Amino acid sequence: MQTNYLSSTASSMNESAELQKPLTMLRNEGADAETSRALSLLVVDDDPAVLRACCEIARSMGYRVVDASSVEEARNELARQQFDVLLLDLKLPVYGGLTLLDEVTAVYPNTAVIVMTAFATVNNALEAMRTGAQDYLTKPFAMDELTVMLERAGNRKQFESDSRRLRDRTLTQTGMIGMVGHSSEMQKLYRIVSKVAFSSHPVLIMGESGTGKELVARSIHANGPKASRPFISVDCGSLVPKLVESELFGYAKGAFTGASRSRDGLLATAGGGTVFLDEVGELSLELQAKLLRALQEKEVHPVGATHAVPISARVVAATNRDLSAMVEQGRFRKDLYFRLNVVNVRMPSLRSRKQDIPLLAAHFLERMRKENGVLYKFSDEVLRVMAEYEWPGNVRELENAIERACALSSGPILHMADMPSPLQNFSTHTSKPSVQKIDERRVSSRRAADVEMAMQVEASRHRQIVSIAELEKQAILSTIRQLHGDKLMAARLLGIGKTTLYRKLKEYGIGE
Ligand SMILES: Nc1ncnc2c1ncn2[C@@H]1O[C@H](COP(=O)(O)OP(=O)(O)OP(=O)(O)O)[C@@H](O)[C@H]1O
């Protein structure tokens, strides 16, 4: 695609058809009426061609746009309404853009400001950033650059309103043990869980590995009337059959070598609590028969015992296997399948509820922040990859990836190199941004913004006092990040010497 530069010669927008598509990211899909309004933008430039071009691009992105060609005109517009974003040329006649910037940052602190400046006056841009502008564009700039800036400002504004909304909601649903997620799939799950919790019927939880089956079992238990009784988890897949049998049903003294005294099985010791049979599909046919009998007769026969022991525990089973197919193949008893499957809960895979990734990522990152006392952040690429990756190992894979990244990272920023190799490979295969992919990138940048937003909301829930040294570190690192690694510029912006900056980075353990 031909790159269109916006300078005083800018005129037609027609060549950038793909930039004309409205950006859904500027509206919050599925949100309430208040948050779904279009964002407002005031463009101030005394060059009519640039002014017109900027307005056209912004409108095509879904902004409500007002233009002004002088500080005076801009003041009038600002007096009339508050703007979400101000796109401000610094070189304005009479008062100059910096004067207006000063006023806006003082009077309208919620307005995000992007300044435009000629290369020769880049120092003014730096001055503007210090005064409170969030971004700057050096003229002449490509349409793509302007789009990215406006997109970023849009995301930030969206973040602010979403986080206000989100803060009011609970991230971890009340009563659900450590379960994070508010996608419609999870909402449905929470409803089922709270409903089944009050019955004593067996429950069969089906779903891929790592989707949270055990968490659901715990939530069913915790939400039920017997929550104060024990919750006992048995991994039927990890124990040899003989051990599973004695664990579940108990044994009599002398039943086997080493059984020096009799012991009750877990189905009995759980009392009126819950026994969670994880990987129930792994039980041998012999044990399946014994379990079925126990469930039907409400009593167990310990190994080697002549008597039966009554049981009152509720059984919640889980499997990542297709049990009905196993029934067809004769590998799982049909009668036991029906007995366990009185209530069926199906766990959604993480890829089917990608909108929960931001919350989950924020949740795990916050846990690592608290554990290690480091204010970890995801790099942009990690945010993108996390949002787009398919997560075959579901929530467990996401959790492990974040823990691993925190363990391996040399500083607070988690980079792709710190992530497990499947994600690195995914990143390599998907990291060729092309013009055709511009819409995809917008969607993914929206998801990345969601992660960032959720992280900040999550962090705000656990807000603690932060030391001055930590604040300084964050200021330095975030400035370098905003300037795409330009340390020299960062040092100037921060008002510290280059040597000091490098010394500080060394202190933080961040090399070249
Ligand atoms: N919705 C969720 N919110 C927060 N953490 C979750 C969620 N779902 C799963 N996890 C976390 O992911 C990990 C795996 O969850 P869990 O053991 O419940 O999955 P599972 O489906 O039982 O896996 P498997 O079939 O391999 O036993 C756990 O550390 C759990 O805390």
Side-chain angles (χ1 to χ4, degrees):
M1 190 197 90
Q2 178 185 340
T3 306
N4 293 282
Y5 285 96
L6 296 188
S7 63
S8 52
T9 56
S11 55
S12 164
M13 297 287 99
N14 295 336
E15 292 132 273
S16 61
E18 71 277 13
L19 293 177
Q20 312 271 332
K21 291 179 193 154
L23 277 186
T24 48
M25 49 145 288
L26 292 178
R27 294 165 192 274
N28 188 10
E29 312 120 47
D32 50 43
E34 195 267 319
T35 53
S36 69
R37 72 180 175 80
L39 294 173
S40 56
L41 169 77
L42 175 63
V43 187
V44 191
D45 199 311
D46 61 335
D47 182 325
V50 174
L51 189 63
R52 198 173 53 244
C54 291
C55 290
E56 270 184 49
I57 289 178
R59 273 193 198 102
S60 74
M61 293 175 70
Y63 274 101
R64 280 187 297 117
V65 185
V66 173
D67 61 78
S69 48
S70 67
V71 171
E72 274 306 292
E73 255 183 72
R75 280 181 184 144
N76 290 339
E77 294 300 342
L78 283 160
R80 242 176 253 145
Q81 62 165 300
Q82 213 168 322
F83 289 89
D84 292 305
V85 185
L86 169 66
L87 181 60
L88 173 66
D89 182 31
L90 284 184
K91 204 167 158 293
L92 289 169
V94 192
Y95 300 103
L98 276 176
T99 315
L100 187 63
L101 175 66
D102 270 342
E103 291 170 16
V104 169
T105 46
V107 185
Y108 312 103
N110 292 331
T111 303
V113 186
I114 303 167
V115 295
M116 300 181 278
T117 180
F119 183 66
T121 59
V122 81
N123 275 343
N124 278 348
L126 300 182
E127 178 62 34
M129 297 274 288
R130 237 198 293 250
T131 310
Q134 295 191 345
D135 264 318
Y136 75 91
L137 281 163
T138 311
K139 284 182 175 179
F141 47 83
M143 288 176 186
D144 242 358
E145 287 177 73
L146 176 60
T147 312
V148 168
M149 289 287 170
L150 290 176
E151 203 173 271
R152 217 186 284 170
N155 278 338
R156 258 189 236 119
K157 294 314 290 183
Q158 200 64 67
F159 161 69
E160 284 162 17
S161 69
D162 283 358
S163 55
R164 263 197 307 277
R165 226 164 20 97
L166 224 88
R167 211 167 282 147
D168 299 338
R169 285 196 209 161
T170 45
L171 286 178
T172 303
Q173 304 287 318
T174 336
M176 301 298 147
I177 305 295
M179 295 194 71
V180 173
H182 60 228
S183 57
S184 56
E185 288 86 348
M186 290 305 279
Q187 302 284 358
K188 196 170 138 202
L189 189 69
Y190 300 143
R191 279 197 297 276
I192 296 173
V193 167
S194 23
K195 227 187 232 169
V196 305
F198 276 89
S199 75
S200 57
H201 298 307
V203 181
L204 179 62
I205 309 168
M206 300 169 85
E208 293 174 21
S209 190
T211 45
K213 295 187 290 297
E214 177 157 356
L215 281 188
V216 165
R218 287 182 183 279
S219 297
I220 290 174
H221 174 75
N223 282 274
K226 311 261 177 71
S228 58
R229 308 277 176 89
F231 174 92
I232 297 174
S233 175
V234 184
D235 188 344
C236 306
S238 73
L239 301 172
V240 291
K242 272 286 158 220
L243 254 174
V244 178
E245 183 178 14
S246 54
E247 280 286 300
L248 278 180
F249 305 104
Y251 52 86
K253 184 177 171 184
F256 46 82
T257 326
S260 53
R261 57 188 180 89
S262 60
R263 207 181 119 180
D264 282 340
L266 297 175
L267 284 166
T269 49
T274 304
V275 174
F276 173 56
L277 300 178
D278 202 2
E279 310 299 352
V280 74
E282 308 305 316
L283 282 182
S284 67
L285 282 167
E286 193 192 333
L287 280 181
Q288 290 175 27
K290 197 161 176 175
L291 177 61
L292 177 70
R293 203 166 135 209
L295 296 177
Q296 278 169 344
E297 294 169 6
K298 298 225 173 295
E299 58 181 29
V300 289
H301 294 267
V303 181
T306 48
H307 65 284
V309 177
I311 56 165
S312 55
R314 181 182 199 180
V315 170
V316 176
T319 182
N320 53 22
R321 304 271 209 115
D322 181 350
L323 277 197
S324 60
M326 287 179 74
V327 168
E328 293 289 309
Q329 296 154 3
R331 292 193 292 139
F332 202 84
R333 289 184 68 111
K334 194 175 188 172
D335 40 13
L336 179 61
Y337 176 59
F338 286 130
R339 175 62 65 164
L340 293 174
N341 201 14
V342 177
V343 179
N344 184 276
V345 178
R346 277 176 195 276
M347 299 297 299
S349 67
L350 186 54
R351 70 189 157 280
S352 70
R353 53 180 188 107
K354 281 192 170 169
Q355 65 271 45
D356 282 337
I357 293 174
L359 275 185
L360 284 160
H363 172 72
F364 296 130
L365 196 72
E366 188 55 34
R367 204 169 67 195
M368 297 315 295
R369 280 179 176 182
K370 281 210 285 188
E371 265 177 44
N372 299 350
V374 178
L375 279 172
Y376 294 113
K377 285 196 99 191
F378 297 115
S379 73
D380 288 346
E381 178 64 353
V382 169
L383 287 173
R384 180 189 73 81
V385 169
M386 283 198 308
E388 290 179 3
Y389 182 64
E390 290 294 287
W391 299 108
N394 296 293
V395 185
R396 181 183 287 112
E397 189 184 5
L398 174 67
E399 183 179 18
N400 291 345
I402 293 172
E403 282 184 9
R404 176 200 143 108
C406 292
L408 294 186
S409 74
S410 49
I413 309 294
L414 308 179
H415 295 285
M416 258 343 283
D418 305 320
M419 299 302 275
S421 42
L423 279 106
Q424 291 189 26
N425 294 341
F426 180 85
S427 157
T428 319
H429 288 112
T430 55
S431 66
K432 295 175 225 86
S434 64
V435 170
Q436 296 95 295
K437 281 194 153 187
I438 197 155
D439 280 345
E440 281 173 36
R441 276 192 280 130
R442 281 168 185 159
V443 171
S444 89
S445 93
R446 168 71 215 238
R447 290 207 190 110
D450 285 348
V451 177
E452 190 81 17
M453 174 187 83
M455 265 166 40
Q456 294 192 28
V457 173
E458 182 74 6
S460 75
R461 295 169 72 230
H462 306 274
R463 189 94 62 207
Q464 290 165 351
I465 293 172
V466 180
S467 68
I468 289 174
E470 186 55 46
L471 283 175
E472 179 192 78
K473 183 172 164 184
Q474 289 309 317
I476 291 176
L477 295 176
S478 91
T479 309
I480 293 176
R481 195 166 145 227
Q482 279 181 46
L483 296 170
H484 307 290
D486 189 339
K487 299 193 185 86
L488 208 60
M489 185 85 85
R492 286 170 68 183
L493 262 176
L494 289 161
I496 57 175
K498 191 178 73 176
T499 328
T500 311
L501 182 90
Y502 278 98
R503 181 171 49 76
K504 298 251 173 221
L505 288 177
K506 209 168 158 200
E507 275 170 29
Y508 309 148
I510 299 167
E512 293 296 293

